[in-house]
Amino acid sequence: MGYIRIKARILKRKLRNRTNNSTLPIPIKPSLPNFSFSKVFVTNQGDNNISIVNSNNITLNENVLNPNGQADLYGISALKGTRKVYVGGQAVFPTQAGIFVIDAVTNKIIKRFNEIQDGFSYAIATNPITKLVYVYTSYKLIIIDGNTDTIINTIPISINPIQVLEVGPNAIAVNSKTNKIYITDPTFSAQLPSVNYLIVLDGATNNKITQFPLNQGPAIGIDFPSYISINENTNKIYIANNFLGTLSIVDGNSDSLITTINFGTRAHSVAVNINTNKIYVGSFATVNNILTSGYFVIDGSNNTVINFIRTGPEAVNAMIADPKSNRVYAADRAGNFYVISGDNDQIIKRIAIGRGSISMTYTDPFAMP
């Protein structure tokens, strides 16, 4: 029995010495890299392509050529929670559709809606909760199931039954929290001033909730495009009216116009940073008697202009805010892509992309919506 105890003590001593003098590496818990697939997609009418920017290091990833050749490109929207980016443009009858889908990981075109032959698909919006895609084209709204990429409904859109003096598709945005769809529909006439209408739809039933005029155009015979951005935290809708040079602010609870900010020049684009409650409007402005391009910054808490930042010589036609990175992305028609700090509203980086930017979206295909 004593022999066994002595043998046990010897074995313990050997084991302790081996552990203390061991040269084996100590296991280290692996750490996951801080990696993101976040990208910004920009439709460019000038170069007729889609510029894809890596938003992690702000480099041009790729320029994807328009599959419809020289046909114009228009709206673009990523369906968050998927790998899909939907692009709208001019259809080339009878073989090429105006709507196609890009895989946000591979940058390849994976789907073309050849059944949509409606001339121009100007505006696209997506709802990450319902996974529905809305395409506003030719006085109607086409609804696509983003899970299957099939058309599930087509709804006539008009401010009056016979579409008198209407320009047609213009801008669209979706509030995913309230499941409301906001559409602008301006009128055009050689005898009457233009009027921009806002149409509100219930996303659950697709029924029209209301419609009302935002403001009147500056002259007879001029139609004007507009752009929509929504702050889902405050339930405010912001509509930039291009030729009017105004920003219409709408209360999403009552769906009524709160106020209109007049910049006195053009309003080419709009983006909302929901983290800071700041609104950015791409515009021309007269500074020291010189007309210059840049963007206004508006405080969303009191609807006052707090800054104007100069950019390049061309209009800032596309903007979008990324609340996760607290950045705002913008692009002008000269092919400049800007990164704007959400803290001080200044430009922190600029790179070259395709010319003639018209619309943009951003997505991280592996992030939750």
Side-chain angles (χ1 to χ4, degrees):
M1 191 69 179
Y3 172 79
I4 296 175
R5 285 197 295 268
I6 294 172
K7 192 69 173 178
R9 285 197 296 270
I10 294 174
L11 289 174
K12 287 181 181 179
R13 189 181 301 116
K14 288 183 177 180
L15 181 60
R16 186 165 50 250
N17 292 338
R18 182 180 298 178
T19 303
N20 293 337
N21 299 324
S22 176
T23 59
L24 293 176
I26 300 174
I28 300 175
K29 184 179 180 180
S31 60
L32 296 176
N34 183 15
F35 186 74
S36 170
F37 276 91
S38 182
K39 298 178 181 178
V40 183
F41 295 75
V42 187
T43 52
N44 305 307
Q45 284 189 352
D47 285 342
N48 210 34
N49 58 21
I50 300 98
S51 293
I52 304 175
V53 176
N54 185 327
S55 62
N56 295 302
N57 53 17
I58 315 299
T59 56
L60 179 63
N61 188 283
E62 185 177 353
N63 283 321
V64 176
L65 293 176
N66 182 1
N68 291 342
Q70 295 303 309
D72 286 335
L73 291 168
Y74 293 103
I76 188 168
S77 184
L79 182 57
K80 302 295 172 58
T82 75
R83 296 170 51 158
K84 298 176 181 179
V85 177
Y86 294 80
V87 186
Q90 181 181 4
V92 181
F93 186 80
T95 58
Q96 296 176 325
I99 305 296
F100 55 93
V101 186
I102 296 177
D103 186 316
V105 177
T106 65
N107 301 336
K108 304 298 182 183
I109 296 172
I110 57 174
K111 169 72 177 181
R112 300 181 69 180
F113 291 88
N114 293 319
E115 62 271 39
I116 302 177
Q117 295 287 345
D118 287 280
F120 297 92
S121 298
Y122 285 98
I124 299 180
T126 54
N127 188 327
I129 296 177
T130 63
K131 291 294 185 290
L132 294 180
V133 182
Y134 298 91
V135 181
Y136 188 20
T137 176
S138 301
Y139 305 105
K140 60 187 176 183
L141 184 66
I142 299 172
I143 304 176
I144 298 170
D145 184 335
N147 293 310
T148 61
D149 282 334
T150 55
I151 297 173
I152 59 175
N153 208 344
T154 300
I155 304 165
I157 297 294
S158 177
I159 59 174
N160 59 69
I162 55 176
Q163 302 167 356
V164 174
L165 306 177
E166 290 183 54
V167 175
N170 203 281
I172 184 171
V174 177
N175 187 332
S176 62
K177 288 186 177 180
T178 62
N179 198 16
K180 289 182 180 179
I181 305 156
Y182 294 86
I183 301 170
T184 54
D185 189 359
T187 62
F188 174 84
S189 172
Q191 293 80 32
L192 300 172
S194 303
V195 179
N196 198 17
Y197 284 85
L198 183 67
I199 300 172
V200 186
L201 302 181
D202 183 340
T205 63
N206 298 323
N207 292 329
K208 184 186 292 185
I209 297 173
T210 187
Q211 67 179 39
F212 55 91
L214 294 171
N215 40 33
Q216 185 169 286
I220 293 173
I222 296 179
D223 66 309
F224 48 92
S226 55
Y227 317 90
I228 307 176
S229 188
I230 299 176
N231 187 333
E232 294 192 348
N233 289 346
T234 62
N235 199 13
K236 297 291 187 346
I237 297 87
Y238 299 89
I239 302 101
N241 306 292
N242 190 340
F243 289 113
L244 296 179
T246 60
L247 180 72
S248 301
I249 304 175
V250 172
D251 183 345
N253 295 306
S254 61
D255 292 321
S256 59
L257 183 64
I258 298 173
T259 189
T260 300
I261 300 175
N262 193 336
F263 303 112
T265 49
R266 297 284 184 90
H268 293 280
S269 52
V270 61
V272 178
N273 187 336
I274 62 174
N275 286 343
T276 61
N277 196 18
K278 291 180 184 178
I279 301 92
Y280 299 79
V281 179
S283 179
F284 278 115
T286 302
V287 179
N288 297 327
N289 297 320
I290 299 175
L291 190 64
T292 183
S293 181
Y295 54 90
F296 287 97
V297 185
I298 295 97
D299 183 340
S301 65
N302 54 24
N303 300 327
T304 57
V305 177
I306 58 177
N307 210 344
F308 177 79
I309 309 298
R310 295 186 185 186
T311 54
E314 295 290 337
V316 177
N317 268 15
M319 301 187 85
I320 197 166
D322 178 7
K324 184 177 180 180
S325 63
N326 195 27
R327 293 173 174 174
V328 179
Y329 303 110
D332 64 23
R333 293 192 64 83
N336 294 303
F337 180 89
Y338 303 93
V339 183
I340 301 167
S341 168
D343 294 322
N344 58 19
D345 307 320
Q346 300 295 316
I347 297 170
I348 56 178
K349 190 166 184 178
R350 179 175 64 180
I351 64 171
I353 60 170
R355 294 175 297 110
S357 300
I358 197 73
S359 184
M360 70 167 57
T361 188
Y362 79 94
T363 187
D364 183 343
F366 297 111
M368 296 299 293

